Amino acid sequence: MHKLLILETLKPFIEEEGSLLSRKNIKVLTASSGEEILKIHRAELVNLIITELKMPDMDGDKLCSLIRNDEALQKVSLIIICENDKSDIERCEAWTFGQGWRSSGRH
């Protein structure tokens, strides 16, 4: 069974009949914050995390940094949702193209 961890505020946008979330072999977990995402991922080792760039407790790029620099957590796919804003997109692209990972000490 595949495990999907999604930020609660994003779940309604991808919840519809016939969507990814309705498949029987996918366990959907929700979290209300970046800290909760980390806690659940440590316990469940999910396959995919969908989160936002801007969260009250921790930005998505910080969350990504913590996950990518923890050998026990780093084998996960991440999707970070952001506003259609140049600076937000550049922050997300840094992780997409590996710049954020390299700048945090990983090579």
Side-chain angles (χ1 to χ4, degrees), residues 53 82-97:
L53 180 63
C82 70
E83 297 288 327
N84 191 14
D85 173 80
K86 185 178 178 179
S87 65
D88 286 355
I89 292 168
E90 287 172 353
R91 285 172 61 191
C92 289
E93 285 177 344
W95 287 99
T96 302
F97 300 111

Side-chain angles (χ1 to χ4, degrees), residues 51-63:
T51 190
E52 291 184 71
L53 180 63
K54 295 178 181 173
M55 295 180 284
D57 68 329
M58 173 188 316
D59 283 345
D61 49 354
K62 173 67 175 174
L63 174 67

Side-chain angles (χ1 to χ4, degrees), residues 6 15 51 61 77 87 104:
I6 186 166
E15 252 183 346
T51 190
D61 49 354
S77 297
S87 65
S104 63

